[in-house]
């Protein structure tokens, strides 16, 4: 059995809201139809319903905070682990939400901050612009990252920069931990695992798979090439 762990955003959907999926994306979806698709996404169950693909196996949702089994029910063991993590970081996330609001107001960026909950506790904070203005989002990202780096939550929270949304959540909530857990539950019937994503934040879960697929002109390869460029030996040495 071939299993594909897929972040559908930018892979099975258009990179920006309102755009149509490219021919390459449609073709990739057809190629993946022979595999058992497991979504690995920041979306919740409702958001996943809008993705044009059939997900009938395990599901990794909300950046790894939620793991659903093949029966569609939340995995009880993973549920308990997530609950402990969210309880520990509740105060930090509420302050991160306040910081995100202040960044938008003081900088007159027009951004909107939202505090999202899971299991009755804060899970993550998102910051977006209603008109998807790139320069406003970049400015907000710089300010929010500075707030995190210079504050007491540097080692506890992390910031994910997406094309239309910034997300801050606990470091322990991540897709690679959830994917590793699902891999342990799949058993020996799996002969090949694929990781598919266009997001640089997903490189850790991609590395857990036998092979990784990512757009050739996308940010994942750009980030990898940047690292290689910094570490390449000097030709004159």
């Amino acid at each position: 059995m071939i299993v594909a762990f897929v972040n559908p955003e930018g892979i099975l959907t258009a990179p920006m809201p309102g755009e149509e999926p490219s021919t390459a994306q449609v073709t990739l979806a057809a190629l993946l139809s022979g595999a058992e698709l497991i979504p690995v996404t920041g979306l919740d169950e409702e958001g996943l319903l809008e993705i044009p693909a059939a997900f009938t196996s395990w599901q990794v949702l909300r950046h790894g905070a939620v793991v659903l089994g093949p029966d569609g029910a939340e995995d009880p063991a993973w549920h308990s682990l997530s609950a402990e993590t969210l309880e520990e970081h509740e105060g930090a996330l509420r302050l991160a939400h306040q910081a995100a609001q202040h960044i938008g107001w003081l900088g007159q960026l027009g951004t909107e901050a939202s505090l999202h909950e899971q299991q009755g506790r804060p899970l993550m904070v998102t910051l977006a612009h209603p008109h998807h203005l790139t320069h406003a989002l970049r400015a907000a990202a710089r300010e929010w990252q500075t707030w995190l780096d210079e504050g007491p939550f540097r080692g506890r929270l992390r910031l994910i920069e997406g094309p239309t949304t910034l997300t801050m959540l606990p470091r322990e909530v991540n897709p690679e931990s959830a994917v590793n857990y699902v891999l342990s539950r799949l058993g020996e019937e799996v002969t090949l695992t694929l990781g598919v994503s266009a997001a640089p934040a997903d490189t850790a879960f991609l590395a857990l798979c036998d092979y990784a697929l990512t757009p050739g002109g996308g940010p994942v390869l750009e980030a990898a090439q940047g690292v290689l460029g910094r570490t390449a030996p000097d030709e004159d040495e």
Side-chain angles (χ1 to χ4, degrees):
M1 178 176 65
I2 300 175
V3 174
F5 292 91
V6 182
N7 183 343
E9 297 176 272
I11 291 292
L12 302 179
T13 64
M16 295 293 291
E19 297 180 356
E20 292 293 328
S22 66
T23 301
Q25 289 175 311
V26 175
T27 303
L28 177 60
L31 290 173
L32 293 175
S33 63
E36 184 168 327
L37 297 184
I38 298 178
V40 183
T41 176
L43 299 171
D44 56 17
E45 293 179 71
E46 183 177 349
L48 194 64
L49 293 175
E50 300 179 6
I51 304 298
F55 300 111
T56 59
S57 181
W58 291 82
Q59 298 180 23
V60 176
L61 309 177
R62 309 205 80 177
H63 298 285
V66 176
V67 172
L68 303 183
D71 60 355
E74 190 170 353
D75 183 87
W78 196 256
H79 175 91
S80 297
L81 288 173
S82 292
E84 293 176 6
T85 298
L86 298 184
E87 181 178 5
E88 179 182 353
H89 296 283
E90 179 174 352
L93 287 169
R94 294 194 184 280
L95 289 176
H97 180 228
Q98 293 178 11
Q101 290 178 314
H102 292 159
I103 287 170
W105 296 336
L106 296 176
Q108 297 183 341
L109 300 175
T111 52
E112 299 175 350
S114 301
L115 180 64
H116 305 264
E117 293 189 348
Q118 178 69 28
Q119 304 176 13
R121 295 185 176 90
L123 164 63
M124 59 184 173
V125 183
T126 58
L127 189 62
H129 194 282
H131 303 298
H132 310 297
L133 294 184
T134 303
H135 70 275
L137 206 60
R138 288 176 179 171
R142 290 193 299 269
E143 293 296 326
W144 214 11
Q145 186 64 59
T146 299
W147 173 85
L148 181 59
D149 292 341
E150 297 179 352
F153 307 122
R154 181 176 182 178
R156 298 173 59 186
L157 304 178
R158 64 189 179 103
L159 177 62
I160 302 173
E161 297 187 39
T164 61
T165 306
L166 307 177
T167 303
M168 191 171 289
L169 70 170
R171 286 189 176 275
E172 290 90 341
V173 176
N174 56 70
E176 59 268 25
S177 296
V179 168
N180 192 50
Y181 175 76
V182 173
L183 283 170
S184 71
R185 299 293 306 275
L186 286 175
E188 298 180 355
E189 69 270 15
V190 177
T191 57
L192 179 69
T193 57
L194 298 176
V196 189
S197 177
D202 287 339
T203 52
F205 98 70
L206 294 178
L208 295 173
C209 302
D210 296 318
Y211 291 95
L213 299 176
T214 187
V220 177
L221 285 187
E222 289 178 1
Q225 289 168 349
V227 171
L228 290 174
R230 292 195 297 271
T231 59
D234 193 326
E235 294 181 356
D236 296 331
E237 293 182 355

